[in-house]
Amino acid sequence: MVRSGEEPRPAGRATDGTGPVSLRELFLQGEPVETGVRASILNSWRRCRSLGLSPDTFDLPYREDFDAGGRIVRAAVPVLDRLQSTFAGSQVNISVADANGTVLLRRFGDASMARSLPAIQVVPGFVFAEQVAGTNGIGLALAERQLIRVYGAEHFAQRSQQNACVAMPVRDPLSGRIEGVLCLGYPRAFERPALGVAIRRAAEGIERRLLGQSSAREQALLRTYLATGAEAAGSHRGMALDALANEFHPRDQAILQEKAAELISGAQRGAAEVALPDGRRVTLVSRPVTSGSGVRGFAIEALLPDFPAGEPLVIPHQTDELPGLGASAVALSLARPALTLPTGHLTASPRPAVTPGGDGATAGPDGTDGLRTVGGGRRRVEPGAAVPSDGVRGVAEPDGAPAADGGGSAADEQQPGEAFPARGLVMLGEPQVGAYALAARRRLELLSEASTRIGTTLDVRRTAEELAETAAPGLADFVTIDLPDAVLRGEESADPIADLRRTVVHGIREGLPFTPPGKRVDFGPTTPQLRCLSSGEAVLEPDLNAAAGWLAQDPEHTAHLLAHVHSLIAVPLLARGVVLGVASFYRAGSAFGDDDRSLAQELASRAALSIDNARRYTHERTMVLALQRRLLPHGLPDQDAVEVAHRYLPAESDVGGDWYDVIPLSGARVGLLVGDVVGHGMLSAATMGRLRTAARSFAELDFPPDEVLTHLDNLVGRLDREDPDGKGAGVIGATCLYAVYDPTAQRCLMARAGHPPPAVVHPDGTVTYPDLPAGPPLGLGGLPFDAVEVDLPEGSQLVLYTDGLIEDRHRDVDVVLEQLREALAHPERAPEETCQAVLDTVAPAHPHDDIALLVARVHAMDPDRIAAWELSADPVLVGEVRAAAVRWLSDRGLDETAFAAELILSELITNAIRHGAEPIRVRLLYGQTLICEVSDASNTAPHLRRAASTDEGGRGLFLVAQLSQSWGTRYLPEGKVIWAECGLGAV
């Protein structure tokens, strides 16, 4: 039966083997738990809480009336015996429960466990249904109806905290109804990937045995088959012999069973040779069986010539399920010579028996006419004879008559010492019933699996891979998917037929000569792929050897493929009227049919919708990312205060609103800004651009950091109030950190609004996180922001970042901050190296949020490039300061700048004396430009105006503006600074 995959384990599970303990405790305390716990476990916890279950309850309901001999028990006993042998000596507890969760059977890898474990883990009859036992393997497997793993604290009950288990429902293969649950319990330290494989195979073994009990008609056929001395019995996909399971790979078993289904549906006596992928050839014999009640069917046997004679006959397990059969089979075994088969298998009788077909002919040892097709001819095989080493090569007679019809006359004598070949029953059933019913169920299960496996991500390429992985081997042996380049980029293709590129190649084995992924593919006008794209419908080619259009596409290439594949279905990938590509399904064995074409069309339609969703998402994400990058700084300004490096890393799932900025300020200072808009998508990116522009404008007005944040807070509040829906569904907030570094004082003034604190890397390698008040996020309004001043010696690094770097659902923030501290503790690194080291060691491998990172190494201004004077409000002193400034500039070779600086200082000092208040200070800063500053204690700011021709004054600031590159006012806690910046080559 086709089964869906297991639910992925939570990445945040505790490493001590006890599961997500802290999350379980939070849940039991009534706290919300939305992440870090698998959905199936969390849903089960919620159901347990709604039922009022207590995790401390130890007792479980016990039923004395459980059916200890029911069909699930009879089917499971030999399977559990084998599992017990497999896990011998280990601490594995094996159990089988019925569909109500009542444990019916127990087995232990270590027999001593039965003495040390509590009764509920030893004695059958206890009920482990979820509604009474809480979250556990048996109960959850019944609730989720799939393979389930439960680890440690994922159990609801306190008693199971140190254990783990894997459980799987067991279904009736015909009805699909859950008959019970197989569960393996073990200590958490015993966890093995092979446990999932072991329980799947064991469950399938129980289901194979259940299939033998499912139909009274099949049982009647089986009784007749066994009573005639045939091999041990089985039926389609359920009761195949253990010999077949051991002798053949599951892939080979599927091939044999598929061919057996064809032989049964053909309703003819005969034989067929089946070539397996490993080069072996197996002969399947089909012969009619008619029960005493008139049920007519066919038995398909595989000849097993490699089993020698000599061992006694053993009655198979299946005979225990057929009343009245065991005694007759034992009597039969005493009367006949024995042939060798592995334990648990009934051998064929070497004595003539009644023909199962009921035609009255005498049957040979194989139940036919005693004639065997050997080496191309027919001969009689007597008891003890063996098939020659070349094996059986016979098929139905050329004239269409059955190969064994009771009328043969030619016979060869047996060779001395040759052993009669054993036979394994592959399938027993009525034509056009069992095989088609199971095939229909497999198709339904494949569609159900497709709904859960296809479209788990919003990645175009991965969605195409999921389609291929679902279809092979469930529907096809090999799948290729071709998509246009435009679709892979998230766009619609203008000409998908001419733009196809091989995207996925997937199959049951590698090495086939398909066009490899990444290469362009060109389909001719007569190929099935182009026909399906033109018609919009799936195209079936049952036999590629006769598909002229496909063969003509590339004769040399198709000749190589024909050695591996024989049938094709080409299906267009269409969604919402858009052609997204083409999927090709190939089979190496039996040919595709119309039902397969319909199934392929349905799979492709579902996958196409998921691919189109992924394409649209990719398109939107590309646009948002382009907008985001467009709104971020394209380059860093030239300045001497800091050496800066930056990184921006978008989230994998969606783009957010993180930003950074470096802003040159007056007085050789520089502003460093990092922010994060809440949310993702186009709205967040656009809002980020508005906030960054506003923040830069506020900063260039020389507002201190706390005032800049106050203005941004008001802006975000207005944006929320301007929401067109009036529901506040737009911008819901933002965080921000703003720092201003002054190289003349080597101090940094910073404030933050709900943002992570910065990191300071000192010259000695010490990394600290300044005690900076967090402040409320932007948009709340009405709350103040506090600024803190920090000393930054030359060579220190200031590191600003957004929360995407340190906040992750699977990591503790304190641990990440310590990792960041270790990554930054290398002051010798350049900022660029520091950025890369942080992303390599601290950033999550798959970020769920954007990451903006800004690293600034601070520099100090040389004291020789700073000149300062203080003077009283005496106009006489203006000339002295002006002369001193000219000498200072001349000593530094700035004679060309001296004239402009002299006029600027003269005007600014005069205004300060006339309109300001003492103390009056003058400062010159010589960097990339010459900055002239005059400060006084007055808060009155000058204003540039156009003087009339009759005015005697009012032209001073106009001259300053003409002689300087820029000028402005910077307010201090007491007073103001009027500054002007002029180029070093000013005249």
Side-chain angles (χ1 to χ4, degrees), residues 936-951:
D936 64 82
S938 171
N939 290 324
T940 302
H943 297 281
L944 180 65
R945 66 184 181 89
R946 184 181 299 275
S949 58
T950 56
D951 290 342

Side-chain angles (χ1 to χ4, degrees), residues 828-839:
E828 73 282 357
R829 287 177 178 160
E832 283 288 343
E833 297 174 346
T834 300
C835 277
Q836 194 59 47
V838 169
L839 292 183

Side-chain angles (χ1 to χ4, degrees), residues 228-362:
T228 58
E231 265 257 0
S235 67
H236 187 201
R237 295 188 65 84
M239 297 179 66
L241 291 174
D242 294 340
L244 294 178
N246 295 332
E247 178 70 14
F248 299 107
H249 186 277
R251 171 201 60 204
D252 299 336
Q253 295 178 43
I255 294 174
L256 294 175
Q257 292 164 357
E258 185 176 9
K259 186 62 179 178
E262 294 179 7
L263 293 175
I264 289 178
S265 62
Q268 290 186 354
R269 185 198 304 263
E273 188 177 65
V274 180
L276 299 179
D278 59 6
R280 289 189 296 173
R281 293 178 178 272
V282 177
T283 298
L284 298 181
V285 177
S286 170
R287 59 194 186 89
V289 178
T290 303
S291 71
S293 59
V295 178
R296 300 181 60 86
F298 278 82
I300 310 300
E301 301 165 322
L303 300 185
L304 305 175
D306 296 332
F307 292 104
E311 295 294 331
L313 177 68
V314 179
I315 303 301
H317 297 302
Q318 288 89 340
T319 58
D320 299 335
E321 302 162 0
L322 301 175
L325 181 62
S328 62
V330 172
L332 186 66
S333 69
L334 296 177
R336 300 172 179 172
L339 297 178
T340 300
L341 277 181
T343 302
H345 301 296
L346 186 65
T347 60
S349 169
R351 184 170 64 102
V354 178
T355 303
D359 55 7
T362 301

Side-chain angles (χ1 to χ4, degrees), residues 55 89 140 146 187 245 267 304 355 453 513 564 566 679 803 844 866 943 962:
L140 195 54
Q146 63 177 344
L304 305 175
T355 303
R453 291 189 59 181
H564 305 279
H566 306 295
D803 58 2
I866 303 174
H943 297 281
Q962 293 300 311

Side-chain angles (χ1 to χ4, degrees), residues 445-456 470 603 606 610:
E445 290 173 347
L446 184 60
L447 288 175
S448 176
E449 183 180 0
S451 65
T452 60
R453 291 189 59 181
I454 300 176
T456 60
T470 302
L603 288 176
R606 298 188 182 195
S610 297

